[in-house]
Amino acid sequence: MDEMPRNFRTARSLRVLLAPADRALAVLLGMEPDIDVVAQVRAGDDLAAAAIMCRPEVALVDEVSAVSAVLAEVPECRVLVLATSAHPGLAGRALAAGAAGLVLRDGPVPDLAEAVRRASMGETVVDPALADPAGA
C-alpha cells in the first residue's frame, strides 16, 4: 500500500478553529491530511467573530469560558478544551459548559488529531490524564 504524500488533502477536511493562537500547533495539526486549521485567535471577542466567519466543525480552546462563546455562535461546533494539567473538577466544568471533551495541550499531535476526529463524529473525548479522580 502506497503512503499518501504529506501535502495530500482528503476531499473533505475538518475545519478547526484554534484559540489560543499557536502557530506551531496550527502547523502540526495542518500537516494531518484531514484537518484544516481555518483560524487562530485569542479568546475573547475575536473568538466569537472567528467562529461566525469560519464556521468550524471543531474548536480547540484553552479556557472553559470560551466553550459557551463558540457554541453561542456556532451551536453545531464541537469544542475541545486544551489543558496543561489535571485540576479538580476541570473535566466536569468543561463538559457541563457543553464541551465535547478535554485534551492535553502539550500531548502528542497524533493523539490531539485523533481527538479532533472523534469529537467531529459526536464522541465525548476526555484524556485519561485529565479525567477527574471522582469520575466526573
Side-chain angles (χ1 to χ4, degrees):
M1 181 173 187
D2 293 332
E3 278 190 44
M4 288 187 283
R6 288 189 73 70
N7 63 350
F8 174 80
R9 290 276 182 206
T10 59
R12 185 183 166 305
S13 293
L14 293 170
R15 299 172 55 78
V16 175
L17 169 66
L18 184 58
D22 183 328
R23 182 171 165 75
L25 184 56
V27 168
L28 291 169
L29 281 173
M31 291 174 72
E32 295 291 322
D34 59 341
I35 294 177
D36 186 15
V37 177
V38 294
Q40 299 177 63
V41 298
R42 297 177 197 245
D45 294 338
D46 291 345
L47 178 57
I52 292 169
M53 181 176 283
C54 70
R55 308 300 289 184
E57 294 165 276
V58 178
L60 298 169
V61 301
D62 66 352
E63 299 175 6
V64 172
S65 61
V67 173
S68 60
V70 172
L71 294 177
E73 302 303 336
V74 188
E76 66 277 11
C77 183
R78 303 285 291 169
V79 183
L80 293 172
V81 176
L82 296 169
T84 55
S85 62
H87 298 284
L90 179 60
R93 287 193 309 277
L95 296 174
L102 186 69
V103 294
L104 280 170
R105 179 184 175 129
D106 297 325
V109 173
D111 292 353
L112 182 56
E114 185 60 23
V116 166
R117 292 179 189 105
R118 289 177 52 204
S120 75
M121 293 185 292
E123 292 183 43
T124 299
V125 182
V126 177
D127 188 295
L130 299 172
D132 289 336

